[in-house]
Amino acid sequence: MSVLESFVVTLFSMSIVFFVLAFLWALIKILSTVLKHFENRKSENTAAQVATGMQAAVAAASEIGSVASISAGQVKLIDVDEKTAAMIMAIVSHESQIPLSELSFKSIKAL
Amino acid sequence: MFVDALKTIWSDSGFAALAWKECIMIGVAFFLIYLAIVKKFEPLLLLPIAFGMLLVNLPLSGLMNEPAEGSSGPGGLLHYLYMGVKLGIYPSLIFLGIGAMTDFGPLIARPSSLFMGAGAQFGIFAAFIIASALGFDPQEASSIGIIGGADGPTAIYLTTRLAPDLLPAIAIAAYSYMALIPMIQPPLMRLITTKKEREIKMEQLREVSKLEKICFPIIVSVFCILLLPSVAPLIGMLMLGNLFRESGVVERLSETAQNALINIVTIFLGVTVGATAVADRFLRLQTLMIIGLGLLAFMFSTVGGLLIGKLMCWLSGGKINPLIGSAGVSAVPMAARVSQIEGQKANKSNYLLMHAMGPNVAGVIGSAVAAGILLALFG
C-alpha cells in the first residue's frame, strides 16, 4: 500500500471513528433529555400526591385534635400552675409508658 | 555403561538442544519477569506472558506442539489453551470483565468526552501510515497501529485476525507501553498544554440516574454492532458486562465477571500469548520495528487526545482542562490517573480523576470501533 493510500485510509477511518462517537454523543444527549423529562414528570406527580396526602393528613389531624379536646375533659388544678401540671403529666406518661392521649387526669393538687 | 547412560541423558535433555536464540529469549523472559515483579509493570499480564515465553523457549518442552498428524497422542498443553486466543474468545471474555468493572457514569454525565476518546485514536492511524511506508502490508500495519489504542484485548483480537505472526511482539509492546504510560505521557502533556490550561479546575459532574446507566450499554450495543458487525464480540461483551453491573439484579454474575472469570482468562491469555514468542518468530528486526512503531503510536494517540482537549477547552471558554484529553488513549484507569497527577502538579486543589474517566472509557469504545473499521477494511 502506498503512503498516499494509507493517508486516504486514515482520513476515512478517523472520519468513521468521529462519526460513530459523535452519534453516540447525540444518543446520550437525547437519552438524558428524555429520561430527565420523564423523571421530572414522575417527581411532579409524586410531589402532587405528597401534597394531597399532606392536606388529608392535616385535615385528619385537626379532626383528631378536636376529638382529643373533647375527650380530654377538664383537669382540676389545686395550687398548681399550668406549666407544672403539664410537666407532671408528661413525667407520669413517661414513667408509666402510657401515651399521654390515653391518660386521664382528674385533678393535680400541691401537697 | 554409566558413562553411556549419562551421555544419553545429556543428549536427550533440553540442555543439549539449547541454541543461542533460545538463550536470548530466556534472557528476555527473565527481564520481563523482573519488570513485572520488581518494577510492577502491568504484572497481572506481564508475569504470565513472560513465564509463557520462558516455558516455550525451553527446548523439547513441546508445550505449543500441535498433535502429530496420524498420531493419537495429544498436542502440548498451551497449544490447546491457545485456541482461546486464536478464536478470539479470551479478549472478548476480558472485555466482559472490563465492562463489569467500568462505571460509564462520567461519560454519560459529560458525553462530549467521546470526542477526546475519538481524537486519541489518531495514533493508531499515524502508526498505520508509518508502518505502511516502512513496507508492512495493510494487515500488519493495522495490527501495529492498534497498539496506539492502548487496549490489550483489542490489540490481541485484531492481530489474531489480521497478522497472527506478529502477535507476541504486538502483545508485549502493547502491555509494556501501557505500563509505561506514566513515563510516556507527562512530557507530551507539559509540551502541548500551557500552565494556565493545566491549572483549570473543572465543575463537578452531574449525578447520573440508574436508568441512564442501564440504557447506555443497550443503546451502544445496538448502534455500534448494527454499524460495525465485526466489532460485536468486543463491544457486545463490554456492554453485557456493564449491564450486569448496572442492572443490579445479577450481582453474582457481575461479581464473577469482574473477579473469577477475568482472572482465569487473564492467566490463559497471558501464558499463551507469551508462548507464541518463540525465538525464530521473535528475534527479528521486524520485532524491534514493531516496538518502535508502538511507542510512536502511543505518543501520537496522546497528542491527538490532548489536541482535542485543547479544542474543547477553547470551545467551552476555558471550562475543560485539556489534560483529560490524554486519558482518551484507553489504558483504564492508568491514563486517567496520569491526568490527575499532572493536574495536581499544576494546581494542588485540582481533582481531575473523575473528569478524566469520561475520555478514558470513551477511548475503550473508540479503539474497539477503530479495530472494527480495520477489520472491515482488511479482514
Side-chain angles (χ1 to χ4, degrees), chain B residues 27-52:
Chain B
V28 173
F30 286 162
F31 178 64
L32 293 178
I33 290 173
Y34 164 80
L35 288 181
I37 296 173
V38 181
K39 298 286 178 189
K40 297 193 170 46
F41 282 0
E42 288 281 330
L44 288 176
L45 255 151
L46 204 54
L47 192 61
I49 286 178
F51 207 78

Side-chain angles (χ1 to χ4, degrees), chain B residues 25 87 103 108 110 196 220 288 316 369:
Chain B
M25 289 308 293
L87 301 172
D103 176 12
I108 302 169
R110 186 182 286 117
K196 200 179 164 195
V220 172
L288 286 177
S316 66
V369 170

Side-chain angles (χ1 to χ4, degrees), chain B residues 26-358:
Chain B
I26 290 168
V28 173
F30 286 162
F31 178 64
L32 293 178
I33 290 173
Y34 164 80
L35 288 181
I37 296 173
V38 181
K39 298 286 178 189
K40 297 193 170 46
F41 282 0
E42 288 281 330
L44 288 176
L45 255 151
L46 204 54
L47 192 61
I49 286 178
F51 207 78
M53 189 187 280
L54 174 68
L55 289 176
V56 83
N57 284 292
L58 295 173
L60 310 177
S61 65
L63 283 166
M64 279 294 269
N65 285 359
E66 287 182 34
E69 222 170 286
S71 150
S72 59
L77 168 70
L78 298 183
H79 165 74
Y80 294 107
L81 292 181
Y82 182 66
M83 289 300 129
V85 177
K86 204 172 175 181
L87 301 172
I89 297 169
Y90 298 154
S92 308
L93 289 179
I94 286 199
F95 257 49
L96 180 75
I98 292 172
M101 286 193 275
T102 304
D103 176 12
F104 283 103
L107 175 64
I108 302 169
R110 186 182 286 117
S112 57
S113 305
L114 282 159
F115 295 109
M116 291 185 239
Q121 307 314 314
F122 175 62
I124 295 177
F125 299 103
F128 172 82
I129 294 172
I130 300 170
S132 297
L134 288 173
F136 286 97
D137 66 37
Q139 286 77 11
E140 290 172 339
S142 304
S143 302
I144 294 167
I146 203 71
I147 299 172
D151 195 332
T154 306
I156 290 170
Y157 182 81
L158 187 74
T159 308
T160 50
R161 265 142 187 75
L162 296 184
D165 272 2
L166 304 185
L167 183 63
I170 285 173
I172 289 165
Y175 282 108
S176 305
Y177 290 137
M178 273 159 66
L180 291 172
I181 269 187
M183 283 178 239
I184 298 171
Q185 286 195 324
L188 294 168
M189 292 162 96
R190 287 192 285 268
L191 186 75
I192 290 171
T193 58
T194 63
K195 187 159 191 304
K196 200 179 164 195
E197 284 170 337
R198 294 197 294 274
E199 283 174 350
I200 294 173
K201 281 175 81 171
M202 294 177 67
E203 282 172 21
Q204 202 178 348
L205 292 169
R206 74 171 173 88
E207 207 175 310
V208 176
S209 71
K210 190 182 174 187
L211 191 56
E212 282 177 276
K213 286 185 175 181
I214 291 173
C215 292
F216 178 78
I218 300 168
I219 288 175
V220 172
S221 301
V222 171
F223 172 66
C224 288
I225 295 171
L226 280 177
L227 187 73
L228 293 164
S230 58
V231 90
L234 293 178
I235 292 280
M237 288 293 113
L238 180 74
M239 293 301 152
L240 174 64
N242 192 249
L243 190 59
F244 282 168
R245 173 199 170 93
E246 302 300 350
S247 67
V249 293
V250 286
E251 202 70 37
R252 278 165 46 200
L253 301 189
S254 175
E255 277 282 309
T256 305
Q258 55 186 291
N259 292 299
L261 181 65
I262 199 169
N263 289 341
I264 292 168
V265 177
T266 300
I267 295 170
F268 291 167
L269 180 79
V271 175
T272 51
V273 164
T276 56
V278 285
D280 287 336
R281 279 165 71 184
F282 196 80
L283 291 179
R284 292 185 290 190
L285 179 66
Q286 209 181 37
T287 304
L288 286 177
M289 287 165 80
I290 289 168
I291 289 169
L293 286 167
L295 178 62
L296 283 177
F298 254 74
M299 291 167 73
F300 279 118
S301 286
T302 303
V303 171
L306 285 168
L307 290 177
I308 296 287
K310 273 177 87 83
L311 178 68
M312 288 178 67
C313 174
W314 179 69
L315 289 174
S316 66
K319 285 183 182 166
I320 291 178
N321 190 321
L323 285 180
I324 66 169
S326 64
V329 301
S330 310
V332 183
M334 185 91 82
R337 264 191 238 138
V338 173
S339 300
Q340 156 76 11
I341 292 165
E342 286 304 307
Q344 273 204 327
K345 274 183 190 167
N347 179 354
K348 279 209 163 75
S349 60
N350 218 350
Y351 291 93
L352 294 177
L353 188 65
M354 283 316 286
H355 302 288
M357 283 309 289

Side-chain angles (χ1 to χ4, degrees), chain A residues 13 26 29 33 37 52-53 55 62 65 71 80 87 94-96 101:
Chain A
S13 305
K29 281 274 182 194
T33 312
H37 177 70
T52 316
Q55 279 174 355
S62 61
S71 63
V80 177
M87 203 166 65
H94 179 72
E95 291 295 319
S96 62
S101 57

Side-chain angles (χ1 to χ4, degrees), chain A residues 1-103:
Chain A
M1 180 181 273
S2 69
V3 176
L4 186 68
E5 280 172 325
S6 59
F7 262 110
V8 174
V9 168
T10 295
L11 268 179
F12 170 77
S13 305
M14 278 304 282
S15 310
I16 301 271
V17 170
F18 267 97
F19 166 75
V20 172
L21 296 190
F23 200 86
L24 282 179
W25 168 78
L27 278 179
I28 295 171
K29 281 274 182 194
I30 293 166
L31 175 75
S32 300
T33 312
V34 170
L35 292 181
K36 212 174 181 179
H37 177 70
F38 274 111
E39 274 168 13
N40 282 348
R41 280 184 65 178
K42 206 175 158 187
S43 61
E44 272 171 21
N45 286 344
T46 315
Q49 280 174 359
V50 168
T52 316
M54 275 177 72
Q55 279 174 355
V58 168
S62 61
E63 271 177 35
I64 290 165
S66 59
V67 170
S69 65
I70 293 163
S71 63
Q74 294 288 318
V75 183
K76 199 183 278 179
L77 302 180
I78 303 160
D79 294 336
V80 177
D81 62 283
E82 281 184 348
K83 200 174 169 185
T84 312
M87 203 166 65
I88 289 165
M89 288 160 80
I91 292 167
V92 171
S93 167
H94 179 72
E95 291 295 319
S96 62
Q97 299 286 311
I98 301 168
L100 202 54
S101 57
E102 291 174 21
L103 279 173

